[in-house]
Protein backbone atom coordinates (compact mmCIF):
# COMPACT_ATOMS: atom_id res chain seq x y z
CA UNK A 1 0.00 0.00 0.00
CA UNK A 2 1.42 3.40 -0.98
CA UNK A 3 1.33 5.97 1.88
CA UNK A 4 -0.99 8.89 1.10
CA UNK A 5 1.33 11.15 3.16
CA UNK A 6 5.09 11.39 2.38
CA UNK A 7 6.86 8.68 4.39
CA UNK A 8 9.28 11.12 6.07
CA UNK A 9 6.37 13.20 7.35
CA UNK A 10 4.42 10.36 8.94
CA UNK A 11 6.63 10.05 12.06
CA UNK A 12 6.45 13.83 12.53
CA UNK A 13 2.65 13.79 12.28
CA UNK A 14 2.38 11.00 14.84
CA UNK A 15 4.85 12.73 17.15
CA UNK A 16 2.66 15.86 17.04
CA UNK A 17 -0.51 13.82 17.64
CA UNK A 18 1.09 12.05 20.59
CA UNK A 19 2.29 15.37 22.03
CA UNK A 20 -1.22 16.85 21.69
CA UNK A 21 -2.71 13.82 23.47
CA UNK A 22 -0.23 13.95 26.34
CA UNK A 23 -0.60 17.72 26.75
CA UNK A 24 -4.40 17.45 26.83
CA UNK A 25 -4.13 14.69 29.42
CA UNK A 26 -1.77 16.69 31.63
CA UNK A 27 -4.08 19.73 31.57
CA UNK A 28 -7.46 18.01 31.73
CA UNK A 29 -6.71 15.14 34.09
CA UNK A 30 -4.29 17.46 35.89
CA UNK A 31 -7.05 19.67 37.26
CA UNK A 32 -9.13 16.76 38.58
CA UNK A 33 -6.03 15.11 40.10
CA UNK A 34 -5.32 18.51 41.65
CA UNK A 35 -8.80 18.68 43.15
CA UNK A 36 -8.22 15.23 44.62
CA UNK A 37 -4.93 16.37 46.15
CA UNK A 38 -6.64 19.44 47.66
CA UNK A 39 -9.60 17.52 49.09
CA UNK A 40 -8.06 16.98 52.58
CA UNK A 41 -7.63 20.74 52.99
CA UNK A 42 -11.40 21.18 53.19
CA UNK A 43 -12.96 19.94 56.42
CA UNK A 44 -16.55 20.85 55.58
CA UNK A 45 -18.34 17.88 53.98
CA UNK A 46 -20.76 19.90 51.78
CA UNK A 47 -17.78 21.79 50.37
CA UNK A 48 -15.98 18.50 49.67
CA UNK A 49 -19.12 17.35 47.85
CA UNK A 50 -18.96 20.48 45.68
CA UNK A 51 -15.28 19.88 44.96
CA UNK A 52 -16.16 16.40 43.71
CA UNK A 53 -19.15 17.77 41.79
CA UNK A 54 -16.85 20.28 40.06
CA UNK A 55 -14.92 17.45 38.38
CA UNK A 56 -17.64 14.79 38.25
CA UNK A 57 -18.79 15.24 34.64
CA UNK A 58 -15.24 15.49 33.28
CA UNK A 59 -12.77 13.23 35.07
CA UNK A 60 -13.57 9.95 33.29
CA UNK A 61 -13.37 11.44 29.79
CA UNK A 62 -10.16 13.28 30.68
CA UNK A 63 -8.30 9.97 31.07
CA UNK A 64 -9.15 9.08 27.47
CA UNK A 65 -6.27 11.32 26.41
CA UNK A 66 -3.81 9.16 28.35
CA UNK A 67 -5.10 6.03 26.62
CA UNK A 68 -4.79 7.75 23.22
CA UNK A 69 -1.25 9.01 23.91
CA UNK A 70 0.06 5.65 25.11
CA UNK A 71 -1.76 3.89 22.27
CA UNK A 72 -0.11 6.15 19.70
CA UNK A 73 3.29 5.50 21.27
CA UNK A 74 2.70 1.74 21.04
CA UNK A 75 1.48 1.57 17.45
CA UNK A 76 3.52 4.39 15.90
CA UNK A 77 6.81 4.05 17.81
CA UNK A 78 6.91 0.44 19.06
CA UNK A 79 10.65 0.30 19.75
CA UNK A 80 10.46 3.51 21.79
CA UNK A 81 7.44 2.11 23.63
CA UNK A 82 9.53 -0.90 24.63
CA UNK A 83 12.42 1.24 25.92
CA UNK A 84 10.21 3.69 27.81
CA UNK A 85 7.89 1.14 29.40
CA UNK A 86 10.81 -1.08 30.38
CA UNK A 87 12.51 1.82 32.17
CA UNK A 88 9.26 3.01 33.79
CA UNK A 89 7.52 -0.29 34.50
CA UNK A 90 7.08 0.24 38.26
CA UNK A 91 5.85 3.87 38.22
CA UNK A 92 3.50 3.05 35.34
CA UNK A 93 2.05 0.14 37.32
CA UNK A 94 1.64 2.34 40.40
CA UNK A 95 -0.05 5.04 38.32
CA UNK A 96 -2.54 2.59 36.82
CA UNK A 97 -3.40 1.13 40.23
CA UNK A 98 -3.83 4.66 41.61
CA UNK A 99 -6.09 5.70 38.73
CA UNK A 100 -8.22 2.58 39.27
CA UNK A 101 -8.42 3.38 42.99
CA UNK A 102 -9.59 6.90 42.15
CA UNK A 103 -12.30 5.57 39.84
CA UNK A 104 -13.60 3.10 42.40
CA UNK A 105 -13.47 5.67 45.21
CA UNK A 106 -15.28 8.25 43.08
CA UNK A 107 -18.19 5.95 42.30
CA UNK A 108 -18.53 4.37 45.74
CA UNK A 109 -18.26 7.73 47.51
CA UNK A 110 -21.45 8.83 45.78
CA UNK A 111 -23.20 5.67 47.02
CA UNK A 112 -21.95 5.89 50.62
CA UNK A 113 -24.81 5.94 53.12
CA UNK A 114 -22.99 7.26 56.19
CA UNK A 115 -20.58 10.17 56.56
CA UNK A 116 -17.97 7.79 57.96
CA UNK A 117 -18.01 5.59 54.86
CA UNK A 118 -17.89 8.64 52.63
CA UNK A 119 -14.82 9.81 54.54
CA UNK A 120 -13.13 6.43 53.92
CA UNK A 121 -13.72 6.82 50.18
CA UNK A 122 -12.42 10.39 50.40
CA UNK A 123 -9.14 9.01 51.76
CA UNK A 124 -8.99 6.48 48.90
CA UNK A 125 -9.69 9.20 46.33
CA UNK A 126 -6.95 11.43 47.76
CA UNK A 127 -4.48 8.53 47.89
CA UNK A 128 -5.18 7.60 44.27
CA UNK A 129 -4.82 11.22 43.13
CA UNK A 130 -1.56 11.76 45.01
CA UNK A 131 0.08 8.46 44.01
CA UNK A 132 -0.86 8.98 40.35
CA UNK A 133 0.62 12.50 40.43
CA UNK A 134 3.82 11.38 42.15
CA UNK A 135 4.24 8.54 39.66
CA UNK A 136 3.78 10.85 36.69
CA UNK A 137 6.30 13.33 38.13
CA UNK A 138 8.83 10.54 38.63
CA UNK A 139 8.32 9.38 35.03
CA UNK A 140 8.82 12.93 33.76
CA UNK A 141 12.07 13.30 35.69
CA UNK A 142 13.41 9.95 34.48
CA UNK A 143 12.48 10.77 30.87
CA UNK A 144 14.05 14.25 30.87
CA UNK A 145 17.42 12.81 31.91
CA UNK A 146 17.21 9.99 29.38
CA UNK A 147 16.72 7.22 31.99
CA UNK A 148 20.24 7.77 33.30
CA UNK A 149 21.26 5.50 36.19
CA UNK A 150 23.40 8.16 37.89
CA UNK A 151 22.45 9.24 41.42
CA UNK A 152 21.71 12.79 40.31
CA UNK A 153 19.20 11.45 37.76
CA UNK A 154 17.24 9.77 40.53
CA UNK A 155 17.48 12.92 42.67
CA UNK A 156 16.08 14.93 39.77
CA UNK A 157 13.27 12.40 39.29
CA UNK A 158 12.41 12.69 43.00
CA UNK A 159 12.28 16.48 42.66
CA UNK A 160 9.99 16.18 39.64
CA UNK A 161 7.82 13.68 41.53
CA UNK A 162 7.30 16.26 44.28
CA UNK A 163 6.86 19.15 41.87
CA UNK A 164 4.14 17.77 39.60
CA UNK A 165 1.55 17.41 42.40
CA UNK A 166 2.14 21.10 43.18
CA UNK A 167 1.45 21.96 39.54
CA UNK A 168 -1.69 19.82 39.59
CA UNK A 169 -2.78 21.39 42.89
CA UNK A 170 -2.46 24.85 41.32
CA UNK A 171 -4.51 24.07 38.24
CA UNK A 172 -7.01 22.17 40.42
CA UNK A 173 -7.39 25.23 42.65
CA UNK A 174 -7.76 27.43 39.57
CA UNK A 175 -10.50 25.12 38.30
CA UNK A 176 -12.35 25.46 41.63
CA UNK A 177 -12.03 29.26 41.46
CA UNK A 178 -13.82 29.09 38.11
CA UNK A 179 -16.43 26.46 38.98
CA UNK A 180 -17.35 27.26 42.61
CA UNK A 181 -18.42 30.25 44.66
CA UNK A 182 -18.57 31.59 48.21
CA UNK A 183 -16.36 30.14 50.93
CA UNK A 184 -15.08 27.31 48.74
CA UNK A 185 -14.01 29.73 46.02
CA UNK A 186 -12.18 31.86 48.58
CA UNK A 187 -10.42 28.77 49.92
CA UNK A 188 -9.40 27.81 46.38
CA UNK A 189 -7.97 31.30 45.84
CA UNK A 190 -5.80 30.80 48.92
CA UNK A 191 -4.60 27.41 47.67
CA UNK A 192 -3.73 28.87 44.27
CA UNK A 193 -1.78 31.72 45.89
CA UNK A 194 0.30 29.21 47.86
CA UNK A 195 1.03 27.06 44.80
CA UNK A 196 1.74 29.59 42.04
CA UNK A 197 5.36 30.45 42.90
CA UNK A 198 6.41 26.89 43.88
CA UNK A 199 5.06 25.95 40.44
CA UNK A 200 7.25 28.65 38.88
CA UNK A 201 10.32 27.44 40.80
CA UNK A 202 9.68 23.88 39.57
CA UNK A 203 9.52 25.06 35.97
CA UNK A 204 12.76 27.00 36.50
CA UNK A 205 14.59 23.99 37.95
CA UNK A 206 13.57 21.64 35.16
CA UNK A 207 14.46 24.27 32.58
CA UNK A 208 17.87 24.83 34.20
CA UNK A 209 18.76 21.14 34.38
CA UNK A 210 17.62 20.13 30.89
CA UNK A 211 20.43 21.84 28.88
CA UNK A 212 23.03 20.61 31.37
CA UNK A 213 22.34 16.92 30.71
CA UNK A 214 22.95 17.11 26.97
CA UNK A 215 25.48 19.07 24.95
CA UNK A 216 23.09 18.79 21.99
CA UNK A 217 20.30 20.50 23.95
CA UNK A 218 22.73 23.12 25.32
CA UNK A 219 23.82 24.00 21.79
CA UNK A 220 20.23 24.11 20.62
CA UNK A 221 19.24 26.51 23.39
CA UNK A 222 22.18 28.89 23.31
CA UNK A 223 23.47 28.91 19.72
CA UNK A 224 22.48 31.60 17.24
CA UNK A 225 19.88 32.01 15.74
CA UNK A 226 18.12 29.21 17.72
CA UNK A 227 18.27 31.25 20.93
CA UNK A 228 16.02 33.87 19.30
CA UNK A 229 13.23 31.29 18.93
CA UNK A 230 13.58 30.01 22.52
CA UNK A 231 14.07 33.35 24.31
CA UNK A 232 10.35 34.28 24.36
CA UNK A 233 9.44 31.15 26.37
CA UNK A 234 11.13 32.09 29.70
CA UNK A 235 10.09 35.73 29.31
CA UNK A 236 6.45 34.79 28.72
CA UNK A 237 6.57 32.30 31.60
CA UNK A 238 7.83 34.94 34.03
CA UNK A 239 5.27 37.50 32.85
CA UNK A 240 2.49 34.94 33.23
CA UNK A 241 3.61 33.99 36.73
CA UNK A 242 3.71 37.64 37.81
CA UNK A 243 0.31 38.29 36.23
CA UNK A 244 -1.25 35.27 37.92
CA UNK A 245 0.23 36.22 41.28
CA UNK A 246 -1.15 39.76 41.05
CA UNK A 247 -4.55 38.57 39.85
CA UNK A 248 -4.85 36.05 42.69
CA UNK A 249 -3.81 38.70 45.22
CA UNK A 250 -6.80 40.82 44.12
CA UNK A 251 -9.35 38.00 44.09
CA UNK A 252 -12.21 37.46 44.76
CA UNK A 253 -13.29 40.15 42.31
CA UNK A 254 -16.66 41.79 41.93
CA UNK A 255 -16.38 40.99 38.23
CA UNK A 256 -16.92 37.24 38.34
CA UNK A 257 -16.25 36.97 34.60
CA UNK A 258 -12.52 36.91 35.37
CA UNK A 259 -12.84 33.85 37.60
CA UNK A 260 -11.68 31.62 34.73
CA UNK A 261 -8.46 33.56 34.11
CA UNK A 262 -6.30 31.67 36.69
CA UNK A 263 -7.22 28.37 35.05
CA UNK A 264 -6.35 29.51 31.54
CA UNK A 265 -3.21 31.16 32.89
CA UNK A 266 -2.24 27.78 34.34
CA UNK A 267 -2.91 26.17 30.97
CA UNK A 268 -0.62 28.79 29.43
CA UNK A 269 2.17 27.89 31.89
CA UNK A 270 1.79 24.21 31.08
CA UNK A 271 1.86 25.00 27.34
CA UNK A 272 5.03 27.07 27.59
CA UNK A 273 6.78 24.38 29.64
CA UNK A 274 5.65 21.70 27.20
CA UNK A 275 6.84 23.75 24.23
CA UNK A 276 10.26 24.11 25.85
CA UNK A 277 10.57 20.35 26.32
CA UNK A 278 9.40 19.67 22.76
CA UNK A 279 11.93 22.14 21.38
CA UNK A 280 14.69 20.52 23.46
CA UNK A 281 14.10 16.89 22.58
CA UNK A 282 12.87 16.95 18.98
CA UNK A 283 13.49 14.82 16.95
CA UNK A 284 14.16 12.28 19.73
CA UNK A 285 11.31 10.20 21.12
CA UNK A 286 13.72 8.56 23.60
CA UNK A 287 16.22 11.26 24.65
CA UNK A 288 19.60 10.78 23.00
CA UNK A 289 18.74 7.21 21.94
CA UNK A 290 15.99 6.98 19.32
CA UNK A 291 14.71 9.59 16.90
CA UNK A 292 11.12 9.49 15.72
CA UNK A 293 12.29 8.11 12.36
CA UNK A 294 14.38 5.35 13.95
CA UNK A 295 11.53 4.29 16.26
CA UNK A 296 8.64 4.61 13.79
CA UNK A 297 6.62 1.76 12.37
CA UNK A 298 6.61 1.08 8.63
CA UNK A 299 5.11 3.90 6.52
CA UNK A 300 2.36 1.55 5.27
CA UNK A 301 1.32 0.78 8.86
CA UNK A 302 1.40 4.43 9.87
CA UNK A 303 -0.80 5.36 6.89
CA UNK A 304 -3.47 2.87 7.97
CA UNK A 305 -3.27 3.94 11.61
CA UNK A 306 -3.54 7.60 10.59
CA UNK A 307 -6.93 6.93 9.02
CA UNK A 308 -8.20 5.65 12.35
CA UNK A 309 -6.71 8.60 14.23
CA UNK A 310 -8.39 11.03 11.83
CA UNK A 311 -11.72 9.54 12.96
CA UNK A 312 -10.97 9.07 16.67
CA UNK A 313 -9.27 12.36 17.52
CA UNK A 314 -12.10 14.69 16.38
CA UNK A 315 -14.56 12.42 18.21
CA UNK A 316 -12.67 12.85 21.49
CA UNK A 317 -12.45 16.60 20.96
CA UNK A 318 -16.17 16.71 20.19
CA UNK A 319 -17.42 14.91 23.28
CA UNK A 320 -14.95 16.81 25.47
CA UNK A 321 -16.31 20.09 24.12
CA UNK A 322 -19.88 18.82 24.56
CA UNK A 323 -19.26 17.94 28.21
CA UNK A 324 -17.80 21.38 28.86
CA UNK A 325 -20.81 23.01 27.23
CA UNK A 326 -23.47 20.91 28.94
CA UNK A 327 -21.88 21.16 32.39
CA UNK A 328 -20.81 24.79 32.24
CA UNK A 329 -21.46 27.00 35.22
CA UNK A 330 -21.02 26.56 38.96
CA UNK A 331 -20.87 23.22 40.76
CA UNK A 332 -23.39 23.12 43.56
CA UNK A 333 -24.32 19.50 44.25
CA UNK A 334 -23.73 15.94 43.08
CA UNK A 335 -26.66 16.20 40.68
CA UNK A 336 -24.88 14.50 37.76
CA UNK A 337 -25.65 11.13 39.32
Amino acid sequence: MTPFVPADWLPVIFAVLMAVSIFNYVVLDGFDLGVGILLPRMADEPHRDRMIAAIGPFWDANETWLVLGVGLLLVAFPSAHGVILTALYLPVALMLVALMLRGVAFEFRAKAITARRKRHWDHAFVTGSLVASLSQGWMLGRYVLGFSEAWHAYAFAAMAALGLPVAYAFIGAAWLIWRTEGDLQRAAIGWARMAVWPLGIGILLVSAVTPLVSSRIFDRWFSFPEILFLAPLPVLTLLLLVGLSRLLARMPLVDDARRRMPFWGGVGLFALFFAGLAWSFFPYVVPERLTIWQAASAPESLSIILIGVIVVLPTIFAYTALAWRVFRGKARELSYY
Side-chain angles (χ1 to χ4, degrees), residues 13-297:
I13 291 172
F14 274 92
V16 171
L17 291 172
M18 191 172 68
V20 168
S21 300
I22 294 173
F23 175 73
N24 284 338
Y25 171 76
V26 169
V27 170
L28 297 177
D29 207 36
F31 75 72
D32 63 61
L33 285 167
V35 171
I37 293 169
L38 292 170
L39 198 64
R41 301 190 65 88
M42 178 54 65
D44 184 71
E45 185 175 317
H47 284 337
R48 291 200 306 274
D49 288 343
R50 291 187 185 92
M51 291 173 72
I52 297 295
I55 62 174
F58 310 100
W59 73 274
D60 206 6
N62 291 343
E63 294 179 357
T64 307
W65 292 105
L66 177 63
V67 176
L68 179 62
V70 175
L72 288 174
L73 177 63
L74 172 61
V75 299
F77 307 105
S79 56
H81 180 274
V83 173
I84 293 172
L85 267 293
T86 298
L88 300 177
Y89 183 85
L90 182 57
V92 168
L94 286 174
M95 180 188 71
L96 293 177
V97 170
L99 292 176
M100 287 188 288
L101 178 61
R102 285 180 76 241
V104 172
F106 196 97
E107 299 297 333
F108 277 79
R109 183 189 188 278
K111 308 298 189 294
I113 299 174
T114 65
R116 182 179 178 183
R117 289 185 179 180
K118 183 182 288 188
R119 195 64 169 167
H120 289 330
W121 290 117
D122 281 348
H123 293 321
F125 187 71
V126 171
T127 300
S129 301
L130 186 58
V131 171
S133 302
L134 291 168
S135 299
Q136 291 172 18
W138 178 270
M139 289 187 279
L140 172 64
R142 296 288 291 132
Y143 180 84
V144 166
L145 295 193
F147 310 114
S148 169
E149 297 298 324
W151 70 267
H152 65 271
Y154 287 100
F156 180 78
M159 180 192 71
L162 296 175
L164 192 61
V166 175
Y168 284 167
F170 173 79
I171 201 165
W175 177 260
L176 293 175
I177 293 171
W178 180 5
R179 296 291 183 159
T180 63
E181 55 192 353
D183 292 340
L184 179 54
Q185 186 186 63
R186 283 188 285 273
I189 292 169
W191 300 334
R193 287 171 182 165
M194 289 189 292
V196 62
W197 283 110
L199 169 60
I201 292 171
I203 293 174
L204 173 64
L205 289 174
V206 174
S207 301
V209 169
T210 301
L212 299 179
V213 302
S214 168
S215 58
R216 181 188 63 82
I217 294 176
F218 186 91
D219 292 340
R220 188 163 196 177
W221 280 31
F222 298 109
S223 60
F224 188 85
E226 285 81 358
I227 192 172
L228 298 179
F229 296 101
L230 188 67
L233 295 183
V235 174
L236 290 173
T237 299
L238 180 60
L239 291 175
L240 197 49
L241 283 167
V242 172
L244 282 169
S245 180
R246 291 184 175 180
L247 175 64
L248 290 168
R250 297 172 57 199
M251 297 183 87
L253 301 168
V254 176
D255 178 14
D256 199 43
R258 283 185 281 178
R259 67 192 184 278
R260 68 191 66 189
M261 291 177 65
F263 177 79
W264 292 114
V267 173
L269 286 175
F270 278 56
L272 290 170
F273 177 74
F274 202 81
L277 286 181
W279 175 266
S280 301
F281 290 111
F282 184 83
Y284 286 88
V285 65
V286 179
E288 313 305 329
R289 297 193 197 181
L290 290 172
T291 67
I292 57 175
W293 291 282
Q294 292 170 333
S297 299

